[in-house]
Amino acid sequence: MAKKQNFEASLTRLEEVVSHMEKGDLSLDDMLNYFQEGIGLVRFCEGKLKETEQKIEVLLDDWKEENE
Amino acid sequence: MPQYYTISQINGYLESKMTADPFLKTIWLKGEISNFKAHGSGHYYFSLQDKTSSLRCVMFHFYASALSFLPYNGLEVFAKGKVTVYSRDGNCQLVATEIIAAGTGDQQLALLELKEKLQEEGLFAVERKKALPLVPQAVGVITSASGAAWQDVQKVSCSRFPGIPLYLYPVLVQGENAAQSIAQAIAFANTQKKVDVLLIGRGGGAREDLAAFDTELVVRAIADSEIPVVSAVGHESDDTLADLAADCRAATPSVAAALIFPDRLELQQKIDSLQSRLLGQMQNKLDQANHYLQMAVLRGKFDQPQILLANSKQRLQEGKENLLQMEAAYLQKSQAQLALMAAKLGSLDPLTVLSRGYAYVHKKNEAKPLISPQEVEYDELIDVVLANGELQCRVTGKGGK
């Protein structure tokens, strides 16, 4: 599997970011950095959810032909 | 008095003798069921008999519940188990672990044997089961390209989470070469590593049509798969061996797809809630910063900074609005402006006083402000600091208060 940005990892990271922010001991600077990262993750995940085109591929291979 | 033994002793001896006998340990018996009684505890009690003889049998709940049919009086069966003596009443009995109807064909017997063999190897063990990914990156479907199963999976995945790519590994699902074709597809998917979960299945069919899913070849391929496998073979209640070996089993391909593809709406709600927590936290932090600024200004007690405060408050408000529109980049800018203003506030104190026409006077080489004429001599040079510059002056006269 290609290790691009992946939905599950992004969601996990987003949960981490939010719980960091909720600890409440961050400086305004750090908060802004987390906030920016968090918004990026929200956008990525929502983008994935909104994809409506499905990539469907039929893998025809040698092993298949041999068997027919 | 002759040497004697108690009844418990002799029954106990018989029991240990029979338990030690390897021949009686696992044995298949053929007979007709009589006196069948399903006890409330889930155990089955019955006898097996032929024309001249009968043997008591018990099948405990654990095994009884695994039977796919309810035995009844008069049924000819093969029963497997161990023969032992029940030491309380000295009767011989069969402790049965498996019962199959005697009408059962050789094929089914062979299947049972295979099942037992694979079970003993641990291929069906719960510890072997792998967890499915929460949100798969790509899903592989191993089924017939022309079957209803493939159509059903596409439909379900489209309605639940179309963003996940779907790959079909076309195989033969019945016939002579089906098992080999399925096993090869599983192995191929594992070398290719394009998908992180596999769905293997076909629509319903008679047990004979599902034969490929009952083969050792397919079971081993599933057990060897590093990619988690969800099986969906037929609609019937009894599992194929492939179902037992799979990491997760579903009654139909549609149900299997629903297990694999997460529900988009559920995930959307989760993301919404995370987003509102994210915004809420940022808002709180900004409110807090706003509050600190206000406190700093109040400590200063000057008129002019109130204007600055109003100004900065407005900027903060703008910042918040931008935040809600997720304009995170702009926020950083407004934060920098905020910091600048706060810095200005700190240095405003003396300037404000001077701008109202007051002056700050000190000796040429001392920073300490002069407050009394006694501190200077005639002709001495002093510096006078005004709002917009300095004056060098000479003392030409003194006066008291």
PDB file of all heavy atoms in Angstrom, chain B residues 270-293:
ATOM      1  N   LYS B 270     -18.073  12.390  13.703  1.00  0.00           N
ATOM      2  CA  LYS B 270     -16.881  12.361  14.537  1.00  0.00           C
ATOM      3  C   LYS B 270     -15.968  13.545  14.208  1.00  0.00           C
ATOM      4  O   LYS B 270     -15.471  14.231  15.102  1.00  0.00           O
ATOM      5  CB  LYS B 270     -16.156  11.034  14.291  1.00  0.00           C
ATOM      6  CG  LYS B 270     -15.077  10.746  15.290  1.00  0.00           C
ATOM      7  CD  LYS B 270     -14.626   9.321  15.131  1.00  0.00           C
ATOM      8  CE  LYS B 270     -13.537   9.036  16.149  1.00  0.00           C
ATOM      9  NZ  LYS B 270     -13.096   7.652  16.114  1.00  0.00           N
ATOM     10  N   ILE B 271     -15.787  13.776  12.905  1.00  0.00           N
ATOM     11  CA  ILE B 271     -14.926  14.882  12.483  1.00  0.00           C
ATOM     12  C   ILE B 271     -15.542  16.216  12.879  1.00  0.00           C
ATOM     13  O   ILE B 271     -14.854  17.111  13.369  1.00  0.00           O
ATOM     14  CB  ILE B 271     -14.674  14.815  10.962  1.00  0.00           C
ATOM     15  CG1 ILE B 271     -13.804  13.608  10.661  1.00  0.00           C
ATOM     16  CG2 ILE B 271     -14.022  16.080  10.454  1.00  0.00           C
ATOM     17  CD1 ILE B 271     -13.755  13.240   9.210  1.00  0.00           C
ATOM     18  N   ASP B 272     -16.865  16.336  12.729  1.00  0.00           N
ATOM     19  CA  ASP B 272     -17.554  17.570  13.135  1.00  0.00           C
ATOM     20  C   ASP B 272     -17.291  17.866  14.600  1.00  0.00           C
ATOM     21  O   ASP B 272     -17.020  19.004  14.980  1.00  0.00           O
ATOM     22  CB  ASP B 272     -19.064  17.437  12.904  1.00  0.00           C
ATOM     23  CG  ASP B 272     -19.410  17.540  11.422  1.00  0.00           C
ATOM     24  OD1 ASP B 272     -18.514  17.907  10.640  1.00  0.00           O
ATOM     25  OD2 ASP B 272     -20.560  17.247  11.063  1.00  0.00           O
ATOM     26  N   SER B 273     -17.397  16.811  15.411  1.00  0.00           N
ATOM     27  CA  SER B 273     -17.240  17.047  16.842  1.00  0.00           C
ATOM     28  C   SER B 273     -15.792  17.423  17.170  1.00  0.00           C
ATOM     29  O   SER B 273     -15.548  18.307  17.990  1.00  0.00           O
ATOM     30  CB  SER B 273     -17.727  15.829  17.623  1.00  0.00           C
ATOM     31  OG  SER B 273     -16.699  15.275  18.379  1.00  0.00           O
ATOM     32  N   LEU B 274     -14.835  16.802  16.476  1.00  0.00           N
ATOM     33  CA  LEU B 274     -13.427  17.163  16.700  1.00  0.00           C
ATOM     34  C   LEU B 274     -13.173  18.600  16.258  1.00  0.00           C
ATOM     35  O   LEU B 274     -12.468  19.352  16.913  1.00  0.00           O
ATOM     36  CB  LEU B 274     -12.515  16.206  15.932  1.00  0.00           C
ATOM     37  CG  LEU B 274     -12.312  14.838  16.586  1.00  0.00           C
ATOM     38  CD1 LEU B 274     -11.692  13.863  15.608  1.00  0.00           C
ATOM     39  CD2 LEU B 274     -11.445  14.963  17.830  1.00  0.00           C
ATOM     40  N   GLN B 275     -13.795  18.969  15.145  1.00  0.00           N
ATOM     41  CA  GLN B 275     -13.600  20.324  14.631  1.00  0.00           C
ATOM     42  C   GLN B 275     -14.151  21.364  15.592  1.00  0.00           C
ATOM     43  O   GLN B 275     -13.528  22.385  15.851  1.00  0.00           O
ATOM     44  CB  GLN B 275     -14.265  20.474  13.265  1.00  0.00           C
ATOM     45  CG  GLN B 275     -14.111  21.884  12.722  1.00  0.00           C
ATOM     46  CD  GLN B 275     -14.698  22.022  11.333  1.00  0.00           C
ATOM     47  OE1 GLN B 275     -14.665  21.105  10.542  1.00  0.00           O
ATOM     48  NE2 GLN B 275     -15.241  23.176  11.049  1.00  0.00           N
ATOM     49  N   SER B 276     -15.321  21.072  16.174  1.00  0.00           N
ATOM     50  CA  SER B 276     -15.891  22.089  17.059  1.00  0.00           C
ATOM     51  C   SER B 276     -15.088  22.168  18.356  1.00  0.00           C
ATOM     52  O   SER B 276     -14.952  23.241  18.935  1.00  0.00           O
ATOM     53  CB  SER B 276     -17.378  21.829  17.306  1.00  0.00           C
ATOM     54  OG  SER B 276     -17.529  20.798  18.231  1.00  0.00           O
ATOM     55  N   ARG B 277     -14.505  21.067  18.769  1.00  0.00           N
ATOM     56  CA  ARG B 277     -13.619  21.128  19.944  1.00  0.00           C
ATOM     57  C   ARG B 277     -12.371  21.957  19.633  1.00  0.00           C
ATOM     58  O   ARG B 277     -11.899  22.744  20.453  1.00  0.00           O
ATOM     59  CB  ARG B 277     -13.221  19.721  20.377  1.00  0.00           C
ATOM     60  CG  ARG B 277     -14.301  19.035  21.211  1.00  0.00           C
ATOM     61  CD  ARG B 277     -14.133  17.527  21.230  1.00  0.00           C
ATOM     62  NE  ARG B 277     -12.978  17.094  21.976  1.00  0.00           N
ATOM     63  CZ  ARG B 277     -12.493  15.849  21.937  1.00  0.00           C
ATOM     64  NH1 ARG B 277     -13.076  14.936  21.181  1.00  0.00           N
ATOM     65  NH2 ARG B 277     -11.439  15.521  22.632  1.00  0.00           N
ATOM     66  N   LEU B 278     -11.857  21.755  18.428  1.00  0.00           N
ATOM     67  CA  LEU B 278     -10.666  22.480  17.977  1.00  0.00           C
ATOM     68  C   LEU B 278     -10.933  23.990  17.972  1.00  0.00           C
ATOM     69  O   LEU B 278     -10.171  24.784  18.521  1.00  0.00           O
ATOM     70  CB  LEU B 278     -10.333  21.993  16.563  1.00  0.00           C
ATOM     71  CG  LEU B 278      -9.032  22.385  15.915  1.00  0.00           C
ATOM     72  CD1 LEU B 278      -7.898  21.606  16.540  1.00  0.00           C
ATOM     73  CD2 LEU B 278      -9.071  22.072  14.422  1.00  0.00           C
ATOM     74  N   LEU B 279     -12.053  24.383  17.374  1.00  0.00           N
ATOM     75  CA  LEU B 279     -12.401  25.803  17.299  1.00  0.00           C
ATOM     76  C   LEU B 279     -12.664  26.355  18.692  1.00  0.00           C
ATOM     77  O   LEU B 279     -12.252  27.463  19.022  1.00  0.00           O
ATOM     78  CB  LEU B 279     -13.640  25.997  16.416  1.00  0.00           C
ATOM     79  CG  LEU B 279     -13.441  25.697  14.933  1.00  0.00           C
ATOM     80  CD1 LEU B 279     -14.763  25.728  14.195  1.00  0.00           C
ATOM     81  CD2 LEU B 279     -12.477  26.696  14.308  1.00  0.00           C
ATOM     82  N   GLY B 280     -13.359  25.564  19.516  1.00  0.00           N
ATOM     83  CA  GLY B 280     -13.687  26.000  20.873  1.00  0.00           C
ATOM     84  C   GLY B 280     -12.438  26.302  21.677  1.00  0.00           C
ATOM     85  O   GLY B 280     -12.342  27.340  22.344  1.00  0.00           O
ATOM     86  N   GLN B 281     -11.444  25.417  21.572  1.00  0.00           N
ATOM     87  CA  GLN B 281     -10.213  25.598  22.329  1.00  0.00           C
ATOM     88  C   GLN B 281      -9.480  26.858  21.882  1.00  0.00           C
ATOM     89  O   GLN B 281      -8.983  27.619  22.701  1.00  0.00           O
ATOM     90  CB  GLN B 281      -9.288  24.386  22.143  1.00  0.00           C
ATOM     91  CG  GLN B 281      -9.742  23.164  22.897  1.00  0.00           C
ATOM     92  CD  GLN B 281      -9.829  23.418  24.383  1.00  0.00           C
ATOM     93  OE1 GLN B 281      -8.944  24.027  24.980  1.00  0.00           O
ATOM     94  NE2 GLN B 281     -10.904  22.972  25.002  1.00  0.00           N
ATOM     95  N   MET B 282      -9.444  27.071  20.555  1.00  0.00           N
ATOM     96  CA  MET B 282      -8.734  28.229  20.018  1.00  0.00           C
ATOM     97  C   MET B 282      -9.429  29.508  20.464  1.00  0.00           C
ATOM     98  O   MET B 282      -8.786  30.474  20.866  1.00  0.00           O
ATOM     99  CB  MET B 282      -8.721  28.117  18.481  1.00  0.00           C
ATOM    100  CG  MET B 282      -7.690  28.985  17.820  1.00  0.00           C
ATOM    101  SD  MET B 282      -6.020  28.534  18.288  1.00  0.00           S
ATOM    102  CE  MET B 282      -5.403  30.080  18.872  1.00  0.00           C
ATOM    103  N   GLN B 283     -10.736  29.479  20.429  1.00  0.00           N
ATOM    104  CA  GLN B 283     -11.547  30.633  20.849  1.00  0.00           C
ATOM    105  C   GLN B 283     -11.258  30.956  22.322  1.00  0.00           C
ATOM    106  O   GLN B 283     -11.043  32.111  22.686  1.00  0.00           O
ATOM    107  CB  GLN B 283     -13.016  30.265  20.677  1.00  0.00           C
ATOM    108  CG  GLN B 283     -13.966  31.350  21.118  1.00  0.00           C
ATOM    109  CD  GLN B 283     -14.453  32.149  19.934  1.00  0.00           C
ATOM    110  OE1 GLN B 283     -14.754  31.594  18.900  1.00  0.00           O
ATOM    111  NE2 GLN B 283     -14.501  33.442  20.090  1.00  0.00           N
ATOM    112  N   ASN B 284     -11.251  29.936  23.162  1.00  0.00           N
ATOM    113  CA  ASN B 284     -10.963  30.139  24.585  1.00  0.00           C
ATOM    114  C   ASN B 284      -9.621  30.812  24.780  1.00  0.00           C
ATOM    115  O   ASN B 284      -9.483  31.727  25.583  1.00  0.00           O
ATOM    116  CB  ASN B 284     -10.933  28.792  25.320  1.00  0.00           C
ATOM    117  CG  ASN B 284     -12.328  28.291  25.578  1.00  0.00           C
ATOM    118  OD1 ASN B 284     -13.288  29.046  25.445  1.00  0.00           O
ATOM    119  ND2 ASN B 284     -12.431  27.028  25.924  1.00  0.00           N
ATOM    120  N   LYS B 285      -8.641  30.318  24.018  1.00  0.00           N
ATOM    121  CA  LYS B 285      -7.292  30.853  24.176  1.00  0.00           C
ATOM    122  C   LYS B 285      -7.270  32.324  23.781  1.00  0.00           C
ATOM    123  O   LYS B 285      -6.639  33.139  24.455  1.00  0.00           O
ATOM    124  CB  LYS B 285      -6.326  30.041  23.301  1.00  0.00           C
ATOM    125  CG  LYS B 285      -4.871  30.300  23.585  1.00  0.00           C
ATOM    126  CD  LYS B 285      -4.464  29.737  24.930  1.00  0.00           C
ATOM    127  CE  LYS B 285      -3.056  30.149  25.321  1.00  0.00           C
ATOM    128  NZ  LYS B 285      -2.680  29.563  26.630  1.00  0.00           N
ATOM    129  N   LEU B 286      -7.976  32.665  22.728  1.00  0.00           N
ATOM    130  CA  LEU B 286      -8.013  34.061  22.281  1.00  0.00           C
ATOM    131  C   LEU B 286      -8.744  34.927  23.292  1.00  0.00           C
ATOM    132  O   LEU B 286      -8.326  36.043  23.600  1.00  0.00           O
ATOM    133  CB  LEU B 286      -8.684  34.160  20.919  1.00  0.00           C
ATOM    134  CG  LEU B 286      -7.815  33.716  19.751  1.00  0.00           C
ATOM    135  CD1 LEU B 286      -8.602  33.774  18.461  1.00  0.00           C
ATOM    136  CD2 LEU B 286      -6.571  34.594  19.644  1.00  0.00           C
ATOM    137  N   ASP B 287      -9.836  34.421  23.839  1.00  0.00           N
ATOM    138  CA  ASP B 287     -10.569  35.154  24.871  1.00  0.00           C
ATOM    139  C   ASP B 287      -9.658  35.434  26.054  1.00  0.00           C
ATOM    140  O   ASP B 287      -9.663  36.524  26.621  1.00  0.00           O
ATOM    141  CB  ASP B 287     -11.787  34.354  25.335  1.00  0.00           C
ATOM    142  CG  ASP B 287     -12.881  34.346  24.281  1.00  0.00           C
ATOM    143  OD1 ASP B 287     -12.769  35.131  23.312  1.00  0.00           O
ATOM    144  OD2 ASP B 287     -13.831  33.559  24.422  1.00  0.00           O
ATOM    145  N   GLN B 288      -8.881  34.427  26.389  1.00  0.00           N
ATOM    146  CA  GLN B 288      -7.964  34.555  27.514  1.00  0.00           C
ATOM    147  C   GLN B 288      -6.920  35.634  27.232  1.00  0.00           C
ATOM    148  O   GLN B 288      -6.668  36.504  28.063  1.00  0.00           O
ATOM    149  CB  GLN B 288      -7.273  33.210  27.691  1.00  0.00           C
ATOM    150  CG  GLN B 288      -6.687  32.974  29.047  1.00  0.00           C
ATOM    151  CD  GLN B 288      -5.949  31.643  29.045  1.00  0.00           C
ATOM    152  OE1 GLN B 288      -5.214  31.342  28.103  1.00  0.00           O
ATOM    153  NE2 GLN B 288      -6.163  30.847  30.063  1.00  0.00           N
ATOM    154  N   ALA B 289      -6.353  35.625  26.029  1.00  0.00           N
ATOM    155  CA  ALA B 289      -5.349  36.615  25.639  1.00  0.00           C
ATOM    156  C   ALA B 289      -5.962  38.012  25.687  1.00  0.00           C
ATOM    157  O   ALA B 289      -5.357  38.959  26.193  1.00  0.00           O
ATOM    158  CB  ALA B 289      -4.827  36.305  24.248  1.00  0.00           C
ATOM    159  N   ASN B 290      -7.167  38.123  25.213  1.00  0.00           N
ATOM    160  CA  ASN B 290      -7.919  39.380  25.225  1.00  0.00           C
ATOM    161  C   ASN B 290      -8.062  39.884  26.654  1.00  0.00           C
ATOM    162  O   ASN B 290      -7.830  41.051  26.961  1.00  0.00           O
ATOM    163  CB  ASN B 290      -9.292  39.100  24.599  1.00  0.00           C
ATOM    164  CG  ASN B 290     -10.085  40.380  24.388  1.00  0.00           C
ATOM    165  OD1 ASN B 290      -9.586  41.466  24.663  1.00  0.00           O
ATOM    166  ND2 ASN B 290     -11.304  40.232  23.908  1.00  0.00           N
ATOM    167  N   HIS B 291      -8.396  38.967  27.544  1.00  0.00           N
ATOM    168  CA  HIS B 291      -8.585  39.297  28.945  1.00  0.00           C
ATOM    169  C   HIS B 291      -7.293  39.824  29.563  1.00  0.00           C
ATOM    170  O   HIS B 291      -7.282  40.849  30.253  1.00  0.00           O
ATOM    171  CB  HIS B 291      -9.069  38.040  29.675  1.00  0.00           C
ATOM    172  CG  HIS B 291      -9.238  38.238  31.142  1.00  0.00           C
ATOM    173  ND1 HIS B 291     -10.259  38.991  31.679  1.00  0.00           N
ATOM    174  CD2 HIS B 291      -8.510  37.770  32.190  1.00  0.00           C
ATOM    175  CE1 HIS B 291     -10.151  38.987  32.999  1.00  0.00           C
ATOM    176  NE2 HIS B 291      -9.104  38.245  33.336  1.00  0.00           N
ATOM    177  N   TYR B 292      -6.168  39.161  29.308  1.00  0.00           N
ATOM    178  CA  TYR B 292      -4.878  39.597  29.849  1.00  0.00           C
ATOM    179  C   TYR B 292      -4.550  40.992  29.375  1.00  0.00           C
ATOM    180  O   TYR B 292      -4.089  41.845  30.125  1.00  0.00           O
ATOM    181  CB  TYR B 292      -3.763  38.636  29.432  1.00  0.00           C
ATOM    182  CG  TYR B 292      -3.757  37.358  30.201  1.00  0.00           C
ATOM    183  CD1 TYR B 292      -3.339  36.177  29.613  1.00  0.00           C
ATOM    184  CD2 TYR B 292      -4.177  37.330  31.545  1.00  0.00           C
ATOM    185  CE1 TYR B 292      -3.338  34.986  30.323  1.00  0.00           C
ATOM    186  CE2 TYR B 292      -4.181  36.147  32.244  1.00  0.00           C
ATOM    187  CZ  TYR B 292      -3.769  34.973  31.642  1.00  0.00           C
ATOM    188  OH  TYR B 292      -3.776  33.816  32.333  1.00  0.00           O
ATOM    189  N   LEU B 293      -4.811  41.257  28.122  1.00  0.00           N
ATOM    190  CA  LEU B 293      -4.522  42.557  27.531  1.00  0.00           C
ATOM    191  C   LEU B 293      -5.322  43.635  28.256  1.00  0.00           C
ATOM    192  O   LEU B 293      -4.807  44.663  28.646  1.00  0.00           O
ATOM    193  CB  LEU B 293      -4.890  42.507  26.048  1.00  0.00           C
ATOM    194  CG  LEU B 293      -4.585  43.765  25.252  1.00  0.00           C
ATOM    195  CD1 LEU B 293      -3.092  44.021  25.273  1.00  0.00           C
ATOM    196  CD2 LEU B 293      -5.070  43.588  23.829  1.00  0.00           C
TER     197      LEU B 293
END
